[in-house]
Amino acid sequence: MKSIAALSLSEVNVGLKILMAASECVPFAKAGGLGDVVGALPKYLAQLGHDVRIVMPRYYGIDRQRYGLKLLPGTLTVPMGIIGEMYCGVCEGRLPGSDVPVYFLEHEQLYGRDGLYEVDNVGFLDNDNRFVFLSKASLEICKMLDFTPDIVHAHDWHTAAVPVLLNTTYLHDSHVGGKPSLLTVHNMQYQGNFYEGLMDVLGVGWEWFNYLNLEKDGEVNLLKGGLYHATLLNTVSEGYAREMQTAEYGWGLEGVVRERAADLYGILNGVDYDEWNPENDPYLPARYSADDLSGKAVCKSELQRDMGLPVRPDVPLIGLVSRMVKQKGIDILAEAIPRLLELDVQFVMLGGGEPWAHFYFGDIMVAHPEKFAVRIGYDNPLAHRIEAGADFFLMPSAFEPCGLNQMYSLRYGTLPIVRATGGLDDSVDNFREHDLTGTGFKFFNLDAQALFDTVGWAVYTWFNRPDAIGQLIRNAMAKRFTWEEAAQKYVRLYQLALERRPRGEIQEGRRTPLTVSAHKGAAPMAVSRRRAPARKK
Ligand code: ADP
Ligand code: GLC
């Protein structure tokens, strides 16, 4: 892993042309933090003087009228290998609060349904075609728009095929041929692994179906392909950039990440403080600032009332807003919660995910109505009110590439209690009792005991050290994680990628797996090669 601060680049370019391919973008479509990032980063890149354009599906839920989307003339033709050519319309919109164009792919069969990736916790069976289509269409659209990007920026497995395509079938394309790519990994767990027959749809040739390219455990693994082929890689915190190289966090791809460690960077996400600011948050019953916290007390009592809890200013209120999945430590929370409820505390929880968790936490609410309230589902205004109304915000994640809620919590003076992993570890400073520094409470072991002990520590401090809590709140509310700063780091990576040759050119024609960094002047390291398996139909 390399440090961006250490990059010796002449000066940051202006006027870069950036093509961003992604499956989510706020406010149009969001399943998690990926949507927040793709909805924010381009705005700040544009403010820095760059021409950035986003390509994404027009999911059924994206209302054309509401967002003023205009259908562009013509049809986009996308070669889908063995399926043949597929066609789609393209709608153009703007990222709200900016002039950033967003191009929406209109395809009834692929995207005309509820849900982004799944319904009722079951992934769509055609997610392979849906996102290979997005990846290819993102490149094909450049011809339609006559847009020649300087760099193509892909996110997660959904568009991880883009760097592979750029190095193979699109190597000599009129608009994207020879262009470098950046792949941002938001989560190593989701890799886009599919039946090997997807090779025939990708259409890059079966010679790329080998363990140094797209193949993993006999399947196509799109993230793996992207990790090998992208000119540069980054993830969303420096901590996770280190962790994803280990067996504990790499989900089987840690070896690939390690091979490319010289091209891997960590950039902590920013916070959109236009949306997450207690001084002007329209969702709150009262606003407040670090200088005057009286509005926060109103937010707390309203939240207690709204969630059906006794309105008690004298008890610490712990908030959670999270996908209810193992990544978020929901299992250790389930184990710890009976003991936690023996303390004089209240919990408010918002989220959805694994069905067992809906029932389990629903039952806890029924058993402890005076202490525990859960709302299942997605509710952005309530998420804001929890950030403001709670005293503590709990994130017991097993892994967390960045995490956004802990950064929102800091701004709202709601002290995060986090497991020290990835972006949580990077963005929260542990409370030090002797000099009252820090912004929250951290635990290290991923188990119910450590979670219980640390919540206990926070609750004890709340009851017995109001001076310390007051100081921690001031420390927390003064913290900033700006997109201005993060966007500048991305520009430096784009610039570095431009200075590199695209990986596909290194050994074009030899079909050699590309596993080494194309450092300027450095000879590619020899790699052991395994023959591609015989083509299967
Ligand atoms: P992840 O992307 O892994 O889910 P992040 O912390 O990066 O985690 O981002 C989650 C985002 O989704 C945050 O903006 C959070 O407020 C929001 N969010 C998660 N669950 C809900 C929910 N049930 N209702 C409203 N917002 C939610
Ligand atoms: C992923 C990660 C989360 C991160 C988000 C945005 O969903 O799980 O930690 O904040 O992407 O980068």
Side-chain angles (χ1 to χ4, degrees):
M1 207 262 297
K2 302 279 269 302
S3 158
I4 293 179
L7 288 182
S8 57
L9 297 170
S10 41
E11 67 187 54
V12 171
N13 290 337
V14 288
L16 288 176
K17 287 188 274 178
I18 305 151
L19 177 72
M20 198 168 289
S23 59
E24 300 178 27
C25 176
V26 162
F28 309 110
K30 162 171 165 174
L34 170 63
D36 291 300
V37 172
V38 179
L41 173 62
K43 281 196 267 184
Y44 292 88
L45 291 169
Q47 281 173 19
L48 292 172
H50 304 289
D51 177 358
V52 51
R53 307 186 186 197
I54 303 168
V55 185
M56 65 181 290
R58 190 186 76 77
Y59 302 105
Y60 191 61
I62 303 176
D63 189 326
R64 275 181 292 217
Q65 280 193 329
R66 178 172 167 207
Y67 294 112
L69 309 189
K70 295 200 177 58
L71 192 62
L72 297 181
T75 304
L76 188 63
T77 304
V78 181
M80 288 288 280
I82 203 167
I83 298 175
E85 290 184 335
M86 290 176 77
Y87 310 95
C88 72
V90 176
C91 279
E92 182 178 351
R94 290 278 181 275
L95 200 55
S98 77
D99 281 334
V100 173
V102 187
Y103 298 103
F104 295 90
L105 307 174
E106 285 278 344
H107 199 290
E108 183 65 25
Q109 184 196 337
L110 294 176
Y111 308 123
R113 61 185 90 163
D114 288 333
L116 270 56
Y117 312 121
E118 57 184 36
V119 272
D120 298 334
N121 234 20
V122 180
F124 295 132
L125 290 177
D126 57 350
N127 274 343
D128 47 358
N129 291 344
R130 295 172 80 228
F131 293 105
V132 166
F133 184 87
L134 168 62
S135 301
K136 291 190 171 197
S138 300
L139 299 179
E140 288 293 336
I141 207 171
C142 293
K143 294 190 196 82
M144 186 182 189
L145 303 171
D146 196 15
F147 178 64
T148 306
D150 294 309
I151 175 131
V152 186
H153 187 167
H155 295 264
D156 272 351
W157 75 263
H158 321 99
T159 49
V162 166
V164 183
L165 293 164
L166 283 171
N167 280 352
T168 54
T169 36
Y170 287 81
L171 195 56
H172 299 294
D173 181 79
S174 58
H175 287 69
V176 297
K179 300 302 174 190
S181 57
L182 173 67
L183 175 64
T184 301
V185 179
H186 298 261
N187 196 319
M188 287 290 289
Q189 183 179 4
Y190 307 104
Q191 302 183 350
N193 46 317
F194 299 105
Y195 169 61
E196 62 183 8
L198 185 60
M199 288 304 293
D200 283 327
V201 179
L202 269 170
V204 295
W206 277 85
E207 59 271 40
W208 298 98
F209 189 66
N210 63 53
Y211 82 115
L212 288 174
N213 278 280
L214 281 158
E215 184 268 341
K216 180 159 191 317
D217 302 330
E219 294 184 312
V220 172
N221 185 306
L222 294 174
L223 184 63
K224 181 173 178 180
L227 288 171
Y228 269 128
H229 282 261
T231 313
L232 291 180
L233 304 171
N234 84 292
T235 186
V236 286
S237 68
E238 292 200 347
Y240 195 64
R242 286 189 296 273
E243 289 172 347
M244 66 197 269
Q245 300 179 46
T246 67
E248 189 183 347
Y249 293 94
W251 293 90
L253 290 183
E254 59 275 7
V256 183
V257 180
R258 274 202 302 273
E259 276 190 67
R260 297 232 43 211
D263 298 325
L264 170 65
Y265 295 81
I267 302 181
L268 200 69
N269 290 329
V271 168
D272 189 345
Y273 290 113
D274 291 340
E275 195 196 338
W276 295 94
N277 179 356
E279 291 173 37
N280 55 25
D281 187 332
Y283 297 119
L284 305 187
R287 323 243 194 277
Y288 60 92
S289 67
D291 296 331
D292 178 6
L293 287 170
S294 51
K296 186 164 173 63
V298 178
C299 292
K300 178 172 175 178
S301 55
E302 287 301 312
L303 180 62
Q304 288 169 321
R305 203 184 324 274
D306 180 32
M307 296 297 288
L309 293 167
V311 177
R312 284 183 59 191
D314 61 324
V315 65
L317 179 59
I318 301 176
L320 292 109
V321 179
S322 174
R323 289 186 289 122
M324 289 183 179
V325 294
K326 219 174 160 191
Q327 176 193 341
K328 303 294 178 180
I330 213 76
D331 48 344
I332 62 164
L333 177 66
E335 197 184 329
I337 204 82
R339 279 181 71 203
L340 286 169
L341 290 173
E342 290 172 14
L343 304 173
D344 192 14
V345 285
Q346 291 181 341
F347 284 87
V348 285
M349 185 174 189
L350 167 66
E354 290 175 14
W356 72 263
H358 300 182
F359 292 114
Y360 181 86
F361 291 107
D363 287 349
I364 296 279
M365 175 165 70
V366 172
H368 300 273
E370 75 295 353
K371 287 193 170 180
F372 191 91
V374 59
R375 190 124 349 135
I376 304 295
Y378 185 87
D379 186 338
N380 186 44
L382 180 57
H384 283 248
R385 290 199 292 271
I386 292 175
E387 287 291 0
D391 296 297
F392 297 105
F393 196 94
L394 182 57
M395 296 181 75
S397 302
F399 69 95
E400 198 62 79
C402 178
L404 297 172
N405 279 304
Q406 82 283 7
M407 300 198 278
Y408 304 154
S409 304
L410 292 169
R411 184 71 188 87
Y412 283 71
T414 303
L415 301 176
I417 303 171
V418 301
R419 173 155 182 268
T421 182
L424 298 177
D425 199 19
D426 287 3
S427 59
V428 177
D429 301 320
N430 210 3
F431 172 41
R432 293 202 312 188
E433 308 215 7
H434 60 280
D435 61 1
L436 300 192
T437 55
T439 56
F441 298 82
K442 290 192 193 182
F443 61 100
F444 295 83
N445 291 351
L446 180 63
D447 58 45
Q449 184 65 46
L451 166 59
F452 174 80
D453 288 346
T454 308
V455 172
W457 177 31
V459 168
Y460 175 87
T461 309
W462 194 87
F463 278 115
N464 297 294
R465 297 285 311 272
D467 59 318
I469 292 291
Q471 185 57 49
L472 286 182
I473 290 175
R474 280 191 291 282
N475 299 346
M477 292 185 82
K479 277 269 174 189
R480 292 291 181 278
F481 302 92
T482 68
W483 269 115
E484 282 86 351
E485 192 184 322
Q488 278 168 6
K489 291 182 178 170
Y490 274 99
V491 173
R492 291 173 82 79
L493 281 198
Y494 296 152
Q495 193 188 7
L496 181 65
L498 277 162
E499 289 176 6
R500 299 267 176 91
R501 288 181 299 169
R503 290 169 67 76
E505 277 181 7
I506 307 168
Q507 297 169 355
E508 189 208 344
R510 284 168 47 202
R511 294 298 192 200
T512 306
L514 307 171
T515 64
V516 277
S517 127
H519 286 302
K520 264 204 275 183
M525 192 183 11
V527 288
S528 61
R529 257 172 265 159
R530 212 189 258 174
R531 286 233 328 258
R535 176 181 170 134
K536 300 212 179 93
K537 289 217 169 172

